Amino acid sequence: MQQEAILLGSEAVAHGVRLCRPEVISAYPITPQTHIIETLSEMVDDGELTSRFIKVESEMSAIAAVLGAVSAGSRSFTASSSQGLAMMHELLHWYAGARLPLVLVNANRALGAPWNIWSDQSDSFSQRDTGWLQIYCETSQEALDTIIIAYRASELLMLPIMVMIDGFILSHTMERLLVPDQEMVDDFLPPYQAPYKLDPDKPLTFGAAAQPDLFYELKKTMSATMLEAGPLLKECERSFAAIFDRAYEPVIHCPEGDEKADTALICCGATTGTAREAVKRLRQENIAIDLFKMRLLRPFPQTELIAALEGKKRIIILNRALSYGVGGTLSQELRAALYNLDRRPVINDVIISLGGREVFPETIMDIVKRRKELSPTASNWL
Amino acid sequence: MSTLEIAQFKHISAIHNRDFNGLPISSTSTAVNLTGSWKFFRPKMAEKGSPCQSACPLRIPIAGYLRQLAEQNPAAALETLREINPLPAVTGRVCPHFCEAACNRLEFDEAVKIGDLERWLGDFGLDRPHRFAPAPETDLKVAVVGAGPAGLAAAVFLARRGVAVEIFERGQEAGGLLASAIPAYRLPRDILRNELDNLLSSYPAITLHCDRNIDPGELTALAKEFAAIILATGLPESIIPAAWQDNPRVIGALKLLATINRGMEIEGDRFTVVGGGNAALDAARSLLRRGKKVEIVYRRTLAEMPAYEEEKEQARAEGITIHQETVVGGLENRGENLQLTLCRAQKENGGIVAGEVLRREDCDILVVAIGQQAADGYLQAKLPETILRAGDFAHGAATVAEALASGRKAAAQVWSRLNDCPVPSETGEPLGIADFTRVHPDYFHPRPAVRPNLLPARERRAGFAEIRTGLSPAETCREAERCFSCGTCTTCGICWFFCPEVAIAIAPDAGSDNGKVLFDYDHCKGCGQCAAICPRGVIEMEEDL
Ligand SMILES: Cc1cc2nc3c(=O)[nH]c(=O)nc-3n(C[C@H](O)[C@H](O)[C@H](O)COP(=O)(O)OP(=O)(O)OC[C@H]3O[C@@H](n4cnc5c(N)ncnc54)[C@H](O)[C@@H]3O)c2cc1C
């Protein structure tokens, strides 16, 4: 059974988490993530959720607390955003290196200075080398579902997964969606059985010093595991679809797009929703454009992307995160991946929004119409 | 349950087949990595005295016995307390509680009500004989003159060392001023008697001879019979100005109080008490309870009165008028009456003299409470140096706690002299004081102190019932829990929790000294976190040489 509901994005996330029955939750409030843990803390208070909710004084402590809890074999949850995620940075590396599972929800937000609380993907994009899987969601339904899928995948991989929602655009808006019932989720997600954990009766040493040769070997294994992570995630998504009737893939082709078009727009996160509208309207004006959404950023879905973009002559990438001195971060990722194509398309790197600057369908339509004028090398600013 | 095929994934299935190769996990112990070799500093246990203990004339290990009380082990708490203070039911009631004024909790919320806890424990011990480690019997015999708190303490601490003690008391009973001066509404007679009886019967080595006045002239003979003599004769006489000494309508406060305490009748209806100390207030309030009209005349201001604040407040609530900055300039016997000339107090040459006449007033009896002095013979006596003094007689009019401490010290000195050894100490010398800067208030919760009830003033005036009610066992436990245990390790385990090197063990036999917290110096890196977070300021860092 799945219950129809109208929920805020942050509430949808909280319900997704609740359904996964985490034993420990620890997080520090930060806009626009705060609603998520507020809702969870109320659930714990009401007894709806029997988790230990650990209050902490910083994001650093939050991630450290769940690191401890998961080391001891408990399924755990944390959430953050922007400066908070940046504060966790050191332990994000440690976490993945420790080979422990976790789901962290990040509500994308800009990093200062200057002070800005609005949507921007720079916070998570700048954590892409920490060894975490990264999944970007377009809707609150997708976020709720992805949390459930992510716990399943994470606990098989023994690697942590970061699930992104765009701050405010998703976190603070209402959406009609389906909330599955507990039984369905329990069917999909078995309780966490830690293959190894802190146990005084069976002592193990975790993350102790490794000499250079050993370190190199451990990282090689982790990297190889990451390469298995993409296909594994697909397995999880397939299995999820079978039960819940909602399908997800690493790279999603949007039906609004025209498959035959030789120009494709590529988005990441909630911008996709606006792009769907733009592409629909462009079609009415007889401009054919295809549309793809990058759901998975790490591991990078190279094979799926190449297959999806086969035959395209122009790729327009709408970035909400910037690597200074290079260009849109997503564009860099795609450029590198598409280098292997026999016939490489023109790539237009567009910085569509930073710090929550509003993106309207017209904004995207205008870019498409001016596509011939866009620079194929330099970043294109509005 | 949905199934997922993971066999196709080599690295993933390896983990779930418990092949941990390639994971940063090891089953080898890190114990071989002696991180302790990195340290320059090492933690050590350095239990300290608490401010309350250092403020206490007796140096009672207050934190220690309050902890035992909080742990609902009153029998152990009683042992801890009585090891140092042989009369807790008394001091719990009458001591001004120097400890409470020094309590670290004053800077946090309010002081722990140590006095009320001591009283409860003292009462708990009234029918429990003193227990003490038996010392090998000696053939030493010591004489103690005076059975006030100083003499009794001297006797107890000698008896515990196996010395036979004979106490010579000129009065009919033991207790000194406790029995003869301090009124029953502050120290009920049955409580005092029970505590004294229990004490004396607990130590068969002590023999008490009552109605046995020792004249200074007798001391030389006594010195031949006994290995040592301790004089604890107190200051039993009220000082009375020469001009008034022979006046039959003038009485010293001590004599008046002794009469009242013995339950004897007092002649006269209207009384004026001169003085501002405890004796003045005790006399006035006792008279009030005997249905007399009474007022106090004091030469300085109310604030300057040396009597305890609580007593002043209670006396005024009971309706006693205190004339401040007033002196008795003269008195004249007129038939049945005594006419007082009351004058404004005037400062002159550092003293206070009678100034302008305020009024003349009749009374039946004038009670003088302006000071105490030694008994006649002892006032001038030149005593041999080998005789030790203790209590008020040694240090001047003070308090019960100071008298007890002084008696205990005299016993130690006698012991040291007789055995030619260093002066022993029951309390030891603390390594420092855990003042408020050393405790971590973050680890404690504010909680108001218990509030013992006071009998309403109207009921108080009607008789000699005890004013302050005692605590219930539950209140006692809760109040004792408020103690921070400053400077004492309670094996709370905060250091164990924070130690990043798992180099701290909390000993199972908590309470054994030194053994409460054990440091594994092979692995302790000397980071100092344990010392920084110790809630009670016990752990300290020292250079690791
Ligand atoms: C009215 C009053 C109220 C007080 N209230 C308090 C109070 O609330 N709290 C507090 O802490 N302190 C109080 N004190 C002070 C306290 O009582 C004394 O400091 C304390 O009792 C001194 O003890 P001590 O053993 O030195 O002398 P004492 O208690 O005076 O005992 C001396 C004993 O020696 C005996 N003695 C004297 N001469 C001889 C002799 N020649 N031969 C044999 N025996 C002799 C006496 O009979 C007496 O029993 C008060 C004092 C007074 C006067």
Side-chain angles (χ1 to χ4, degrees):
Chain A
M1 259 284 288
Q2 307 202 51
Q3 193 76 41
E4 209 171 352
I6 298 181
L7 294 175
L8 281 175
S10 43
E11 291 170 344
V13 166
H15 280 283
V17 173
R18 167 182 63 78
L19 288 165
C20 296
R21 303 180 188 267
E23 290 172 276
V24 175
I25 299 171
S26 184
Y28 189 79
I30 179 170
T31 303
Q33 171 276 124
T34 307
H35 286 175
I36 298 174
I37 56 156
E38 266 177 7
T39 310
L40 285 168
S41 73
E42 278 161 21
M43 289 172 172
V44 172
D45 195 39
D46 293 347
E48 201 181 337
L49 186 55
T50 48
S51 308
R52 274 291 292 275
F53 193 104
I54 305 176
K55 288 182 275 183
V56 282
E57 78 298 335
S58 77
E59 288 82 358
M60 182 68 139
S61 296
I63 186 83
V66 294
L67 174 60
V70 179
S71 303
S74 305
R75 179 177 294 160
S76 303
F77 176 76
T78 188
S80 195
S81 178
S82 175
Q83 318 283 146
L85 189 69
M87 192 177 188
M88 289 182 179
H89 175 77
E90 177 196 341
L91 279 177
L92 293 181
H93 277 281
W94 189 278
Y95 205 110
R99 300 303 308 274
L100 292 168
L102 184 72
V103 173
L104 177 157
V105 170
N106 180 61
N108 283 114
R109 164 186 151 176
L111 279 138
W115 212 232
N116 178 298
I117 59 167
W118 310 105
S119 195
D120 186 312
Q121 291 168 338
S122 304
D123 57 354
S124 54
F125 267 82
S126 61
Q127 304 300 339
R128 77 210 138 122
D129 298 338
T130 52
W132 287 56
L133 280 78
Q134 286 204 354
I135 304 174
Y136 289 78
C137 301
E138 179 191 351
T139 64
S140 299
Q141 178 78 69
E142 184 178 349
L144 187 158
D145 293 345
T146 301
I147 288 162
I148 301 168
I149 296 167
Y151 271 112
R152 185 79 167 109
S154 173
E155 289 167 6
L156 288 168
L157 285 163
M158 297 305 278
L159 281 170
I161 302 185
M162 207 181 281
V163 176
M164 260 58 69
I165 57 169
D166 295 73
F168 292 103
I169 301 171
L170 286 193
S171 66
H172 284 56
T173 54
M174 292 245 177
E175 185 180 309
R176 202 168 113 184
L177 42 72
L178 292 173
V179 181
D181 68 15
Q182 188 65 59
E183 228 171 282
M184 284 177 92
V185 177
D186 288 348
D187 241 8
F188 174 74
L189 178 67
Y192 174 44
Q193 301 272 340
Y196 41 82
K197 62 178 179 185
L198 285 175
D199 179 354
D201 295 332
K202 288 187 216 111
L204 285 173
T205 303
F206 287 73
Q211 297 298 315
D213 285 345
L214 178 58
F215 188 89
Y216 184 92
E217 291 304 322
L218 293 178
K219 293 301 160 179
K220 193 166 139 191
T221 307
M222 185 163 141
S223 182
T225 311
M226 261 301 210
L227 292 181
E228 291 181 352
L232 176 92
L233 191 64
K234 273 211 235 175
E235 277 295 320
C236 293
E237 286 168 339
R238 243 198 298 279
S239 152
F240 181 87
I243 299 177
F244 298 85
D245 206 23
R246 283 185 295 281
Y248 299 100
E249 279 176 278
V251 179
I252 292 177
H253 178 257
C254 304
E256 293 81 357
D258 183 341
E259 273 177 56
K260 292 186 285 292
D262 56 9
T263 298
L265 277 172
I266 300 201
C267 306
C268 182
T271 325
T272 317
T274 315
R276 286 181 202 261
E277 180 64 21
V279 167
K280 250 198 294 192
R281 290 203 216 159
L282 284 167
R283 195 182 272 224
Q284 285 158 14
E285 296 180 30
N286 285 326
I287 303 174
I289 295 290
D290 208 356
L291 175 62
F292 295 91
K293 147 172 138 184
M294 292 293 297
R295 174 170 146 83
L296 186 64
L297 187 78
R298 281 291 179 278
F300 193 83
Q302 169 131 351
T303 321
E304 290 80 357
L305 188 76
I306 289 177
L309 298 181
E310 185 70 59
K312 302 292 179 202
K313 298 212 170 68
R314 180 186 295 278
I315 312 289
I316 305 174
I317 304 160
L318 305 183
N319 289 271
R320 292 190 86 123
L322 180 64
S323 179
Y324 301 93
V326 189
T329 319
L330 182 60
S331 300
Q332 306 318 310
E333 295 279 330
L334 293 183
R335 275 206 174 108
L338 298 180
Y339 185 80
N340 291 329
L341 281 180
D342 291 338
R343 295 221 325 263
R344 287 193 285 274
V346 172
I347 292 179
N348 296 130
D349 170 34
V350 177
I351 312 301
I352 189 83
S353 169
L354 294 173
R357 183 159 146 161
E358 203 68 71
V359 179
F360 300 103
E362 292 77 9
T363 325
I364 298 173
M365 289 163 70
D366 186 52
I367 288 167
V368 170
K369 286 176 190 165
R370 292 194 295 111
R371 59 191 180 278
K372 303 249 162 61
E373 301 156 33
L374 297 177
S375 164
T377 47
S379 295
N380 295 278
W381 293 75
L382 301 183
Chain B
M1 185 70 57
S2 77
T3 47
L4 259 171
E5 197 40 69
I6 57 165
Q8 52 180 311
F9 305 118
K10 180 175 135 218
H11 294 284
I12 299 170
S13 45
I15 300 173
H16 299 279
N17 293 332
R18 304 258 187 269
D19 169 7
F20 300 154
N21 246 323
L23 295 178
I25 291 155
S26 155
S27 55
T28 337
S29 168
T30 50
V32 291
N33 187 4
L34 298 184
T35 44
S37 64
W38 309 353
K39 67 177 169 297
F40 298 98
F41 287 90
R42 54 194 259 152
K44 63 166 182 189
M45 290 295 279
E47 292 206 313
K48 298 173 183 62
S50 51
C52 53
Q53 181 181 18
S54 73
C56 171
L58 277 160
R59 304 280 183 274
I60 298 174
I62 295 168
Y65 84 80
L66 292 197
R67 180 99 203 133
Q68 291 165 318
L69 260 187
E71 285 166 355
Q72 305 193 26
N73 192 351
L78 180 68
E79 293 312 314
T80 308
L81 175 56
R82 272 204 311 219
E83 192 177 325
I84 304 297
N85 175 7
L87 293 175
V90 168
T91 49
R93 289 177 166 82
V94 304
C95 182
H97 305 307
F98 308 97
C99 49
E100 291 185 17
C103 177
N104 272 339
R105 242 190 129 113
L106 272 174
E107 304 209 29
F108 186 67
D109 47 12
E110 45 185 328
V112 176
K113 287 267 195 289
I114 303 167
D116 292 289
L117 294 172
E118 184 185 39
R119 166 178 161 175
W120 186 88
L121 204 50
D123 289 358
F124 173 80
L126 287 177
D127 53 5
R128 288 174 169 77
H130 290 224
R131 283 210 308 232
F132 53 96
E137 235 173 87
T138 66
D139 49 12
L140 297 168
K141 256 172 65 185
V142 171
V144 171
V145 186
L152 290 170
V156 163
F157 287 94
L158 283 169
R160 286 190 196 168
R161 294 193 170 92
V163 177
V165 185
E166 288 191 36
I167 309 182
F168 301 97
E169 165 58 47
R170 71 173 180 187
Q172 294 166 358
E173 56 179 349
L177 293 177
L178 306 178
S180 68
I182 299 182
Y185 58 85
R186 296 208 283 127
L187 178 57
R189 295 303 95 174
D190 55 333
I191 299 281
L192 175 63
R193 285 211 181 99
N194 285 347
E195 183 147 67
L196 293 174
D197 289 350
N198 185 25
L199 179 143
L200 289 167
S201 59
S202 296
Y203 300 96
I206 300 176
T207 315
L208 172 66
H209 307 283
C210 285
D211 294 315
R212 178 72 169 85
N213 183 66
I214 300 288
D215 204 65
E218 284 181 66
L219 292 172
T220 323
L222 220 52
K224 292 204 178 97
E225 204 183 322
F226 293 90
I229 301 176
I230 295 174
L231 279 185
T233 46
L235 302 174
E237 310 293 340
S238 293
I239 294 174
I240 301 179
W244 300 350
Q245 269 172 15
D246 298 326
N247 194 322
R249 298 206 160 271
V250 173
I251 185 173
L254 293 183
K255 196 163 171 192
L256 175 92
L257 282 165
T259 314
I260 295 178
N261 277 358
R262 247 180 272 140
M264 284 151 61
E265 277 311 307
I266 302 284
E267 267 179 50
D269 293 318
R270 297 163 303 165
F271 288 75
T272 299
V273 178
V274 189
N278 287 322
L281 284 181
D282 284 343
R285 295 173 73 193
S286 297
L287 286 165
L288 188 78
R289 283 162 171 76
R290 283 285 183 94
K292 312 291 184 188
K293 248 186 110 252
V294 59
E295 56 185 36
I296 296 176
V297 170
Y298 179 54
R299 58 191 182 144
R300 297 179 199 268
T301 61
L302 197 61
E304 288 167 289
M305 276 177 83
Y308 307 140
E309 287 306 321
E310 201 186 356
E311 308 272 314
K312 292 189 219 173
E313 223 169 87
Q314 290 178 3
R316 276 155 61 95
E318 287 163 14
I320 294 173
T321 312
I322 302 173
H323 299 288
Q324 312 178 56
E325 297 181 278
T326 305
V327 297
V328 179
L331 41 133
E332 201 182 318
N333 294 59
R334 297 182 152 199
E336 296 285 284
N337 284 341
L338 188 62
Q339 192 187 60
L340 308 177
T341 308
L342 298 180
C343 303
R344 185 181 304 286
Q346 191 177 310
K347 289 192 175 132
E348 203 176 280
N349 296 336
I352 291 182
V353 296
E356 149 206 8
V357 173
L358 293 169
R359 63 185 177 281
R360 289 179 216 283
E361 209 173 79
D362 285 351
C363 71
D364 298 331
I365 305 284
L366 179 70
V367 182
V368 184
I370 58 173
Q372 292 165 249
Q373 61 186 12
D376 229 2
Y378 286 95
L379 201 51
Q380 301 87 9
K382 264 194 67 78
L383 301 169
E385 272 184 23
T386 49
I387 292 183
L388 277 144
R389 303 161 180 232
D392 280 359
F393 182 59
H395 53 230
T399 61
V400 178
E402 282 157 296
L404 290 169
S406 159
R408 190 180 70 199
K409 189 169 146 211
Q413 283 168 336
V414 163
W415 178 258
S416 145
R417 194 181 289 173
L418 297 182
N419 292 282
D420 204 12
C421 66
V423 180
S425 158
E426 276 77 18
T427 53
E429 271 311 302
L431 290 155
I433 305 294
D435 62 17
F436 192 67
T437 61
R438 286 200 183 250
V439 298
H440 272 286
D442 292 351
Y443 290 99
F444 304 101
H445 298 286
R447 198 207 278 175
V450 64
R451 306 236 174 280
N453 290 324
L454 297 184
L455 220 55
R458 205 162 24 84
E459 283 174 45
R460 296 199 310 242
R461 294 168 49 159
F464 283 80
E466 186 167 22
I467 291 180
R468 199 176 172 91
T469 54
L471 305 180
S472 70
E475 282 174 322
T476 304
C477 186
R478 247 179 294 130
E479 184 61 15
E481 280 171 1
R482 291 183 67 241
C483 176
F484 284 171
S485 301
C486 310
T488 302
C489 173
T490 62
T491 61
C492 69
I494 301 277
C495 54
W496 168 84
F497 183 80
F498 275 96
C499 175
E501 213 54 41
V502 205
I504 286 180
I506 307 291
D509 58 331
S512 71
D513 40 12
N514 307 323
K516 292 176 174 180
V517 167
L518 303 171
F519 301 103
D520 165 9
Y521 291 117
D522 283 344
H523 295 95
C524 163
K525 289 189 293 203
C527 71
Q529 289 208 38
C530 51
I533 51 81
C534 176
R536 296 169 178 84
V538 174
I539 302 177
E540 275 180 26
M541 299 302 287
E542 63 182 355
E543 216 170 328
D544 185 46
L545 298 170

